[in-house]
Amino acid sequence: TASYVVLRHGPWKAYNACNKQRNAEAGAGGGELPRACLPPPPPEPPGSTLAFDVYAPSSTFSRAAPGPPLFSVPIYLFSSTSAPDPSLPSGSTVPFPEWRGLLCATPVHPAVVAASGTVMMYKISGDPIPPVARAPPPPGAPDPAAVSLASNLPVTPSSVAPLTISSGPLTARISPYGATLLSLSRSSAPLLLSHPSLPSLLADEAYVGSTVGRVANRIAKGELSYKHPDGGKTERRTLATNNAPNHLHGGDSGFSSRVWLVTASTPSSATFALTSEDGDQGYPGAVHCVVTYSLSDAALDISFDTRVLKGCAVAGLTNHSYWNLGGGEGGCLDHELEVFADGYLPVDDTSIPTREVHSPSNEWGGHAAGMDFTSSPKKIEDAVKSIRGGSHPVARDGSSRAGVDHNYIVAAGGEKSTVLGVEVTKCAALRANGLQMTMRTSYPGVQVYTGNWLGGPFKQYEGVALEGQFFPDCVGEGIEGRGQVWCGKEGDTSKHVISFSVAEC
């Protein structure tokens, strides 16, 4: 007979999904669901879809601890929008319209577990759900229950346990905490800075490897203004100034410090989802974000998919990994960096763009020695020394923390290619230790940050972050017509890609 995994959280009752379908088809009681289980069905046909129902708010569930997968077929979780009264006697009914479905994972470790209370697992018998029972959602639309599941997961050893993916010589480890790229190695040699432990990751203040958002980089004084995509009036919101006097990387509790829901994994890819509700960290609108890490033999591709669920919303995510191609030895100062850009954005003493553009046409604002990575590859150490010894306004707390922390405008005429179905432009190349990392992105800018403020388990200048993103402080308005943070209305979607390929040079 077909086996179903059923979870009970506290007093809630779990039942067979087929009851719902059969009663809906028969019109019994207007589509009500009897609280009972059907008799055992015939043997399960190979490759059929299993299902289970749970009476509990879906936000109380998270992914189970690592272990052997229970199933090799999709598992559906059905969750009530309002929990029924647990004191209802056997045989009671609940209205069918209260139910909704969720594709939980394909395949995944034992389905889901309750985040609190007593968890009890059962295997029961029931009919496999026929295909007609699962009408597909609109293309690209997240299921409402998936949205709920991805909005409030707790930090537990199992919920943040890393996934390992690999392809050819590349291996990556990603934690659901912050959808963080914990490590990337080539033939076992590390390419990124990595936290030495889970406590180090949880205490991180440098966004090492994290997915940051809802909007990456800074927003001046936390003052957000944007115009509705349909041409409505300008709206204003006040965000937390967690990098005084500015808002940085999504605020005090941005995406980098959330537990993302693992929605899919293969030997070479892993997908994570997060829902940000209207008002989250002060941001307008509700968004559902999906980040996928994919490895090929020579590249790590990261896609960022966003859908507006409610209202008008802004979003601009990125990955904040720090590169060190030296195999874990030394820092990034000896690395050569080349940026394929039309210019860069100078900043004030709080790292907010002045809304000018420095480029070859204006001799890089007089700071070519420090900021011009476009004429030819330049050692990061040479750039830092030039900045420290010059008049460049980049070290608001003294020259000892000087370095590059600027957004470069991706060259409009740069080398194009397609990654994950999205057009990307070659924007940077980093060389050291006989290796070259080439970066491509669909974003209009790339933030170059030389680790000026790294600390804790890391040393200053130990790694360089190259972050594909929209321009800093450009919500509502770009700079010279470019770089504005994406803004969408309900149902709108956005997809961006960052690709890193690694080869010998």
Side-chain angles (χ1 to χ4, degrees):
T1 61
S3 293
Y4 293 77
V5 172
V6 181
L7 307 179
R8 188 174 73 182
H9 174 224
W12 305 130
K13 306 294 184 179
Y15 296 97
N16 188 315
C18 298
N19 291 339
K20 176 179 65 177
Q21 182 210 346
R22 288 191 175 184
N23 278 272
E25 290 174 349
E32 293 181 334
L33 170 64
R35 305 183 69 181
C37 196
L38 294 175
E44 172 195 357
S48 64
T49 299
L50 302 180
F52 59 91
D53 284 353
V54 177
Y55 273 85
S58 57
S59 60
T60 63
F61 292 88
S62 64
R63 194 172 65 86
L70 286 181
F71 304 110
S72 58
V73 294
I75 297 173
Y76 290 91
L77 167 67
F78 293 88
S79 172
S80 178
T81 57
S82 58
D85 182 353
S87 65
L88 289 174
S90 176
S92 299
T93 59
V94 294
F96 175 70
E98 289 186 358
W99 289 75
R100 59 194 182 185
L102 160 68
L103 176 59
C104 201
T106 317
V108 75
H109 297 306
V112 290
V113 296
S116 59
T118 302
V119 181
M120 302 175 69
M121 282 196 174
Y122 303 89
K123 284 188 178 181
I124 62 174
S125 295
D127 288 339
I129 269 191
V132 295
R134 295 298 303 171
D143 187 280
V147 169
S148 181
L149 267 173
S151 63
N152 188 29
L153 296 178
V155 176
T156 66
S158 61
S159 71
V160 301
L163 283 73
T164 299
I165 60 176
S166 61
S167 178
L170 296 181
T171 300
R173 295 172 64 249
I174 309 108
S175 170
Y177 184 80
T180 298
L181 180 59
L182 294 177
S183 65
L184 177 68
S185 60
R186 183 179 186 272
S187 302
S188 301
L191 303 172
L192 304 174
L193 299 191
S194 302
H195 280 287
S197 64
L198 177 58
S200 174
L201 172 64
L202 298 180
D204 175 76
E205 295 183 352
Y207 308 95
V208 176
S210 297
T211 298
V212 298
R214 182 183 301 193
V215 174
N217 218 310
R218 294 173 175 84
I219 297 174
K221 299 179 182 178
E223 296 175 356
L224 176 73
S225 64
Y226 62 97
K227 209 172 252 189
H228 195 281
D230 286 340
K233 66 178 182 179
T234 298
E235 303 282 349
R236 290 177 173 81
R237 294 288 185 100
T238 300
L239 312 178
T241 52
N242 59 312
N243 183 243
N246 304 315
H247 176 85
L248 176 66
H249 290 328
D252 294 308
S253 183
F255 291 0
S256 60
S257 59
R258 307 284 183 85
V259 179
W260 292 58
L261 178 71
V262 179
T263 58
S265 64
T266 72
S268 60
S269 69
T271 300
F272 305 84
L274 180 73
T275 302
S276 178
E277 303 292 350
D278 184 19
D280 182 12
Q281 307 304 299
Y283 282 98
V287 295
H288 186 68
C289 303
V290 177
V291 175
T292 299
Y293 292 86
S294 304
L295 284 180
S296 65
D297 287 349
L300 168 66
D301 302 324
I302 310 173
S303 65
F304 304 87
D305 292 87
T306 303
R307 174 178 284 267
V308 180
L309 302 176
K310 175 184 176 183
C312 174
V314 298
L317 285 64
T318 193
N319 177 269
H320 205 292
S321 292
Y322 291 80
W323 291 85
N324 184 325
L325 304 181
E329 298 295 328
C332 72
L333 293 178
D334 65 345
H335 288 38
E336 289 187 342
L337 176 64
E338 186 173 9
V339 182
F340 308 100
D342 290 331
Y344 82 96
L345 305 178
V347 296
D348 63 19
D349 61 358
T350 70
S351 296
I352 294 295
T354 64
R355 308 196 75 78
E356 303 171 278
V357 174
H358 286 176
S359 64
S361 64
N362 57 26
E363 297 182 352
W364 297 93
H367 300 287
M371 305 304 297
D372 181 12
F373 288 96
T374 67
S375 300
S376 61
K378 175 186 292 184
K379 273 195 174 183
I380 292 175
E381 181 177 25
D382 294 339
V384 171
K385 284 181 177 179
S386 176
I387 292 169
R388 279 185 169 181
S391 59
H392 206 286
V394 295
R396 55 180 170 166
D397 294 309
S399 62
S400 66
R401 290 290 181 178
V404 182
D405 190 5
H406 294 73
N407 206 276
Y408 284 74
I409 301 170
V410 174
E415 178 186 308
K416 311 291 184 184
S417 58
T418 300
V419 175
L420 303 178
V422 176
E423 183 180 82
V424 295
T425 304
K426 182 178 177 181
C427 59
L430 187 68
R431 303 179 184 94
N433 197 37
L435 295 176
Q436 173 172 304
M437 185 280 289
T438 302
M439 178 181 178
R440 297 171 175 83
T441 187
S442 60
Y443 281 112
V446 55
Q447 186 82 5
V448 178
Y449 174 52
T450 52
N452 319 328
W453 290 87
L454 278 174
F458 309 107
K459 299 176 183 178
Q460 185 184 26
Y461 308 127
E462 190 172 351
V464 56
L466 300 169
E467 314 156 40
Q469 58 184 239
F470 298 108
F471 296 170
D473 194 38
C474 280
V475 177
E477 183 181 3
I479 295 176
E480 295 188 356
R482 300 173 66 179
Q484 180 177 336
V485 173
W486 180 77
C487 181
K489 61 184 183 299
E490 186 170 329
D492 285 351
T493 61
S494 170
K495 182 183 182 74
H496 280 281
V497 168
I498 303 173
S499 176
F500 303 103
S501 58
V502 182
E504 296 179 355
C505 64

mmCIF file of all heavy atoms in Angstrom, residues 42-66:
data_model
loop_
_atom_site.group_PDB
_atom_site.id
_atom_site.type_symbol
_atom_site.label_atom_id
_atom_site.label_comp_id
_atom_site.label_asym_id
_atom_site.label_seq_id
_atom_site.Cartn_x
_atom_site.Cartn_y
_atom_site.Cartn_z
ATOM 1 N N PRO A 42 -5.214 -0.067 -3.307
ATOM 2 C CA PRO A 42 -4.356 -1.048 -3.976
ATOM 3 C C PRO A 42 -2.900 -0.597 -3.925
ATOM 4 O O PRO A 42 -2.605 0.547 -3.579
ATOM 5 C CB PRO A 42 -4.882 -1.040 -5.421
ATOM 6 C CG PRO A 42 -6.229 -0.416 -5.346
ATOM 7 C CD PRO A 42 -6.199 0.519 -4.190
ATOM 8 N N PRO A 43 -1.979 -1.483 -4.300
ATOM 9 C CA PRO A 43 -0.557 -1.100 -4.290
ATOM 10 C C PRO A 43 -0.305 0.142 -5.135
ATOM 11 O O PRO A 43 -0.951 0.362 -6.157
ATOM 12 C CB PRO A 43 0.148 -2.329 -4.877
ATOM 13 C CG PRO A 43 -0.781 -3.462 -4.591
ATOM 14 C CD PRO A 43 -2.166 -2.893 -4.663
ATOM 15 N N GLU A 44 0.662 0.921 -4.681
ATOM 16 C CA GLU A 44 0.997 2.187 -5.343
ATOM 17 C C GLU A 44 1.668 1.932 -6.690
ATOM 18 O O GLU A 44 2.620 1.177 -6.785
ATOM 19 C CB GLU A 44 1.932 2.978 -4.445
ATOM 20 C CG GLU A 44 2.504 4.225 -5.085
ATOM 21 C CD GLU A 44 3.685 4.754 -4.278
ATOM 22 O OE1 GLU A 44 3.972 4.173 -3.228
ATOM 23 O OE2 GLU A 44 4.317 5.713 -4.721
ATOM 24 N N PRO A 45 1.194 2.600 -7.752
ATOM 25 C CA PRO A 45 1.886 2.465 -9.032
ATOM 26 C C PRO A 45 3.236 3.162 -9.004
ATOM 27 O O PRO A 45 3.391 4.167 -8.305
ATOM 28 C CB PRO A 45 0.934 3.148 -10.026
ATOM 29 C CG PRO A 45 -0.012 3.941 -9.212
ATOM 30 C CD PRO A 45 -0.001 3.399 -7.813
ATOM 31 N N PRO A 46 4.242 2.637 -9.720
ATOM 32 C CA PRO A 46 5.585 3.258 -9.700
ATOM 33 C C PRO A 46 5.532 4.708 -10.166
ATOM 34 O O PRO A 46 4.826 5.052 -11.114
ATOM 35 C CB PRO A 46 6.384 2.396 -10.690
ATOM 36 C CG PRO A 46 5.626 1.119 -10.784
ATOM 37 C CD PRO A 46 4.189 1.457 -10.575
ATOM 38 N N GLY A 47 6.276 5.581 -9.447
ATOM 39 C CA GLY A 47 6.396 6.978 -9.847
ATOM 40 C C GLY A 47 5.198 7.845 -9.523
ATOM 41 O O GLY A 47 5.118 8.991 -9.958
ATOM 42 N N SER A 48 4.229 7.319 -8.751
ATOM 43 C CA SER A 48 3.057 8.136 -8.445
ATOM 44 C C SER A 48 3.411 9.199 -7.412
ATOM 45 O O SER A 48 4.446 9.156 -6.762
ATOM 46 C CB SER A 48 1.921 7.254 -7.922
ATOM 47 O OG SER A 48 2.304 6.658 -6.698
ATOM 48 N N THR A 49 2.513 10.161 -7.274
ATOM 49 C CA THR A 49 2.748 11.260 -6.341
ATOM 50 C C THR A 49 2.129 10.946 -4.994
ATOM 51 O O THR A 49 0.955 10.583 -4.906
ATOM 52 C CB THR A 49 2.132 12.559 -6.896
ATOM 53 O OG1 THR A 49 2.756 12.861 -8.127
ATOM 54 C CG2 THR A 49 2.344 13.710 -5.937
ATOM 55 N N LEU A 50 2.900 11.068 -3.936
ATOM 56 C CA LEU A 50 2.399 10.866 -2.576
ATOM 57 C C LEU A 50 1.952 12.202 -1.998
ATOM 58 O O LEU A 50 2.355 13.259 -2.460
ATOM 59 C CB LEU A 50 3.487 10.260 -1.698
ATOM 60 C CG LEU A 50 4.055 8.934 -2.190
ATOM 61 C CD1 LEU A 50 5.128 8.441 -1.249
ATOM 62 C CD2 LEU A 50 2.950 7.902 -2.306
ATOM 63 N N ALA A 51 1.123 12.153 -0.996
ATOM 64 C CA ALA A 51 0.625 13.397 -0.411
ATOM 65 C C ALA A 51 0.303 13.188 1.049
ATOM 66 O O ALA A 51 0.094 12.075 1.510
ATOM 67 C CB ALA A 51 -0.618 13.862 -1.153
ATOM 68 N N PHE A 52 0.283 14.286 1.785
ATOM 69 C CA PHE A 52 -0.187 14.218 3.160
ATOM 70 C C PHE A 52 -0.792 15.555 3.539
ATOM 71 O O PHE A 52 -0.489 16.584 2.950
ATOM 72 C CB PHE A 52 0.922 13.832 4.138
ATOM 73 C CG PHE A 52 2.098 14.763 4.163
ATOM 74 C CD1 PHE A 52 2.142 15.837 5.036
ATOM 75 C CD2 PHE A 52 3.163 14.553 3.309
ATOM 76 C CE1 PHE A 52 3.229 16.689 5.059
ATOM 77 C CE2 PHE A 52 4.249 15.412 3.326
ATOM 78 C CZ PHE A 52 4.289 16.469 4.194
ATOM 79 N N ASP A 53 -1.681 15.533 4.522
ATOM 80 C CA ASP A 53 -2.349 16.729 5.002
ATOM 81 C C ASP A 53 -1.922 17.010 6.432
ATOM 82 O O ASP A 53 -1.709 16.096 7.213
ATOM 83 C CB ASP A 53 -3.867 16.569 4.996
ATOM 84 C CG ASP A 53 -4.430 16.688 3.598
ATOM 85 O OD1 ASP A 53 -3.667 17.029 2.684
ATOM 86 O OD2 ASP A 53 -5.617 16.436 3.438
ATOM 87 N N VAL A 54 -1.852 18.291 6.773
ATOM 88 C CA VAL A 54 -1.507 18.662 8.141
ATOM 89 C C VAL A 54 -2.441 19.779 8.576
ATOM 90 O O VAL A 54 -2.565 20.789 7.888
ATOM 91 C CB VAL A 54 -0.044 19.139 8.245
ATOM 92 C CG1 VAL A 54 0.268 19.592 9.660
ATOM 93 C CG2 VAL A 54 0.900 18.026 7.842
ATOM 94 N N TYR A 55 -3.121 19.597 9.692
ATOM 95 C CA TYR A 55 -3.909 20.658 10.294
ATOM 96 C C TYR A 55 -2.982 21.461 11.191
ATOM 97 O O TYR A 55 -2.757 21.125 12.342
ATOM 98 C CB TYR A 55 -5.024 20.077 11.162
ATOM 99 C CG TYR A 55 -6.298 19.757 10.451
ATOM 100 C CD1 TYR A 55 -6.472 18.547 9.810
ATOM 101 C CD2 TYR A 55 -7.341 20.672 10.442
ATOM 102 C CE1 TYR A 55 -7.659 18.228 9.186
ATOM 103 C CE2 TYR A 55 -8.532 20.369 9.810
ATOM 104 C CZ TYR A 55 -8.683 19.148 9.179
ATOM 105 O OH TYR A 55 -9.862 18.848 8.557
ATOM 106 N N ALA A 56 -2.408 22.525 10.684
ATOM 107 C CA ALA A 56 -1.528 23.394 11.469
ATOM 108 C C ALA A 56 -1.126 24.560 10.597
ATOM 109 O O ALA A 56 -1.034 24.411 9.380
ATOM 110 C CB ALA A 56 -0.286 22.644 11.943
ATOM 111 N N PRO A 57 -0.891 25.731 11.187
ATOM 112 C CA PRO A 57 -0.394 26.853 10.370
ATOM 113 C C PRO A 57 0.923 26.468 9.732
ATOM 114 O O PRO A 57 1.821 25.973 10.401
ATOM 115 C CB PRO A 57 -0.218 27.984 11.386
ATOM 116 C CG PRO A 57 -1.070 27.591 12.546
ATOM 117 C CD PRO A 57 -1.060 26.098 12.579
ATOM 118 N N SER A 58 1.061 26.668 8.438
ATOM 119 C CA SER A 58 2.256 26.180 7.740
ATOM 120 C C SER A 58 3.527 26.861 8.210
ATOM 121 O O SER A 58 4.610 26.340 8.044
ATOM 122 C CB SER A 58 2.096 26.370 6.240
ATOM 123 O OG SER A 58 1.851 27.722 5.931
ATOM 124 N N SER A 59 3.437 28.072 8.796
ATOM 125 C CA SER A 59 4.645 28.768 9.236
ATOM 126 C C SER A 59 5.315 28.083 10.412
ATOM 127 O O SER A 59 6.417 28.437 10.797
ATOM 128 C CB SER A 59 4.324 30.223 9.605
ATOM 129 O OG SER A 59 3.384 30.256 10.659
ATOM 130 N N THR A 60 4.642 27.072 11.018
ATOM 131 C CA THR A 60 5.254 26.395 12.158
ATOM 132 C C THR A 60 6.131 25.227 11.731
ATOM 133 O O THR A 60 6.610 24.484 12.572
ATOM 134 C CB THR A 60 4.178 25.867 13.122
ATOM 135 O OG1 THR A 60 3.384 24.895 12.438
ATOM 136 C CG2 THR A 60 3.297 26.991 13.621
ATOM 137 N N PHE A 61 6.356 25.054 10.440
ATOM 138 C CA PHE A 61 7.117 23.911 9.970
ATOM 139 C C PHE A 61 8.424 24.310 9.312
ATOM 140 O O PHE A 61 8.534 25.372 8.730
ATOM 141 C CB PHE A 61 6.277 23.092 8.989
ATOM 142 C CG PHE A 61 5.126 22.411 9.642
ATOM 143 C CD1 PHE A 61 3.919 23.059 9.764
ATOM 144 C CD2 PHE A 61 5.266 21.151 10.180
ATOM 145 C CE1 PHE A 61 2.849 22.446 10.392
ATOM 146 C CE2 PHE A 61 4.214 20.530 10.814
ATOM 147 C CZ PHE A 61 2.999 21.180 10.923
ATOM 148 N N SER A 62 9.423 23.449 9.421
ATOM 149 C CA SER A 62 10.702 23.677 8.748
ATOM 150 C C SER A 62 11.250 22.334 8.263
ATOM 151 O O SER A 62 10.728 21.277 8.589
ATOM 152 C CB SER A 62 11.702 24.343 9.696
ATOM 153 O OG SER A 62 11.993 23.485 10.775
ATOM 154 N N ARG A 63 12.325 22.390 7.502
ATOM 155 C CA ARG A 63 12.901 21.179 6.920
ATOM 156 C C ARG A 63 13.503 20.278 7.993
ATOM 157 O O ARG A 63 14.046 20.733 8.986
ATOM 158 C CB ARG A 63 13.980 21.578 5.904
ATOM 159 C CG ARG A 63 14.409 20.450 5.007
ATOM 160 C CD ARG A 63 15.324 21.002 3.918
ATOM 161 N NE ARG A 63 16.552 21.519 4.471
ATOM 162 C CZ ARG A 63 17.621 20.767 4.709
ATOM 163 N NH1 ARG A 63 17.593 19.491 4.420
ATOM 164 N NH2 ARG A 63 18.700 21.292 5.196
ATOM 165 N N ALA A 64 13.421 19.009 7.759
ATOM 166 C CA ALA A 64 13.932 18.052 8.724
ATOM 167 C C ALA A 64 15.453 17.980 8.710
ATOM 168 O O ALA A 64 16.107 18.492 7.818
ATOM 169 C CB ALA A 64 13.353 16.664 8.423
ATOM 170 N N ALA A 65 16.003 17.330 9.709
ATOM 171 C CA ALA A 65 17.449 17.147 9.791
ATOM 172 C C ALA A 65 17.924 16.234 8.662
ATOM 173 O O ALA A 65 17.146 15.462 8.102
ATOM 174 C CB ALA A 65 17.809 16.532 11.142
ATOM 175 N N PRO A 66 19.229 16.332 8.309
ATOM 176 C CA PRO A 66 19.735 15.466 7.234
ATOM 177 C C PRO A 66 19.520 13.998 7.536
ATOM 178 O O PRO A 66 19.597 13.551 8.673
ATOM 179 C CB PRO A 66 21.225 15.811 7.193
ATOM 180 C CG PRO A 66 21.306 17.190 7.751
ATOM 181 C CD PRO A 66 20.241 17.262 8.807
#
